């Protein structure tokens, strides 16, 4: 299997936030954004693996700024690194007021997705070959996050 660049899995999505996405404070419910994040990550992972995938873990999801009803959300997702059967996907989300043009970076998320074979078992996925210095930096950071995840799991098992 030939490695692929993160650019090959690049996925963009845009969606207008509706009244049905509101929370009781009148902003967009975090869960509505999380669902879109998971969808964008899933498409990026499938583009990379050319397989069905499942979300194994949402490693982190940070809300930097609130999203308002009527805003356009733009999501960008790509695979930052792949191991044997799992991949890390970075998702960044921007909100935009389509009338004023005001934009904010609202959310950053990292998810681990696993490629599945026809029987639903984990299957090997292509590696990642960064095409730019920026992609190489993201790949190194993905390794650091994976090491931290494994260390945390081991620490908790040893408690
Ligand atoms: C994710 C899943 C396929 C892993 O299956 P498993 O039998 O534990 O498989 P393995 O132990 O062989 O692990 C397979 C890969 O998943 C990774 N993995 C498993 N659990 C993980 C977790 N909680 N977080 C991060 N990675 C995980 C392993 O590190 C391994 O990666 P690698 O091959 O690149 O080293 C299985 O737990 C599952 O189906 N979970 C439910 C997924 C789901 O329903 N998601 C929501 C809807 S999409």
């Amino acid at each position: 299997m030939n490695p692929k660049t993160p650019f090959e899995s690049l996925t963009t999505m845009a969606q207008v936030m509706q009244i049905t996405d509101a929370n009781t404070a009148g902003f967009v419910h975090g869960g509505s954004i999380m669902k879109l994040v998971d969808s964008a990550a899933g498409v990026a992972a499938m583009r990379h693996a050319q397989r069905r995938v499942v979300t194994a873990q949402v490693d982190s999801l940070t809300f930097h700024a609130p999203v308002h009803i009527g805003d356009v959300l733009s999501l960008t997702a790509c695979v930052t690194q792949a191991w044997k059967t799992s991949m890390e996907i970075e998702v960044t989300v921007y909100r935009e007021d389509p009338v004023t043009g005001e934009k904010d970076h609202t959310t950053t998320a990292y998810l681990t997705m696993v490629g599945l074979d026809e029987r639903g078992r984990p299957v090997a996925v292509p590696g990642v070959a960064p095409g730019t210095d920026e992609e190489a930096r993201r790949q190194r950071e993905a390794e650091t996050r994976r090491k931290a995840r494994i260390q945390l799991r081991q620490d908790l098992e040893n408690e």
Side-chain angles (χ1 to χ4, degrees):
M1 254 183 304
N2 290 333
K4 292 182 172 178
T5 65
F7 184 71
E8 287 175 86
S9 62
L10 187 66
T11 298
T12 54
M13 282 171 40
Q15 188 152 321
V16 181
M17 292 294 99
Q18 308 285 350
I19 197 81
T20 46
D21 296 308
N23 63 19
T24 50
F27 296 111
V28 170
H29 194 271
S32 295
I33 301 169
M34 286 159 76
K35 187 172 181 202
L36 291 171
V37 163
D38 192 42
S39 298
V43 174
M46 281 191 283
R47 280 184 170 152
H48 181 84
Q50 296 189 273
R51 292 276 188 181
R52 197 155 64 84
V53 301
V54 280
T55 310
Q57 187 165 310
V58 178
D59 303 311
S60 74
L61 196 147
T62 310
F63 292 113
H64 310 291
V67 178
H68 307 102
I69 306 307
D71 280 352
V72 178
L73 271 202
S74 302
L75 298 95
T76 306
C78 71
V79 173
T80 54
Q81 176 62 317
W83 294 278
K84 188 169 170 240
T85 67
S86 65
M87 299 152 272
E88 185 197 75
I89 298 90
E90 180 184 70
V91 185
T92 53
V93 186
Y94 281 80
R95 63 158 283 273
E96 179 188 347
D97 179 325
V99 176
T100 65
E102 180 193 77
K103 269 187 190 173
D104 282 311
H105 177 199
T106 132
T107 310
T108 308
Y110 295 95
L111 298 88
T112 301
M113 301 234 157
V114 176
L116 299 180
D117 68 12
E118 294 69 21
R119 293 182 172 182
R121 292 176 310 204
V123 66
V125 296
V128 169
T132 65
D133 289 347
E134 174 68 17
E135 289 175 356
R137 182 184 61 77
R138 287 201 183 127
Q139 186 183 44
R140 287 194 300 275
E141 289 176 359
E143 285 295 343
T144 303
R145 281 188 290 273
R146 177 172 160 104
K147 273 190 203 134
R149 280 196 298 275
I150 291 169
Q151 187 64 53
L152 176 65
R153 211 175 305 148
Q154 282 170 357
D155 288 351
L156 291 172
E157 278 167 14
N158 294 336
E159 278 288 315

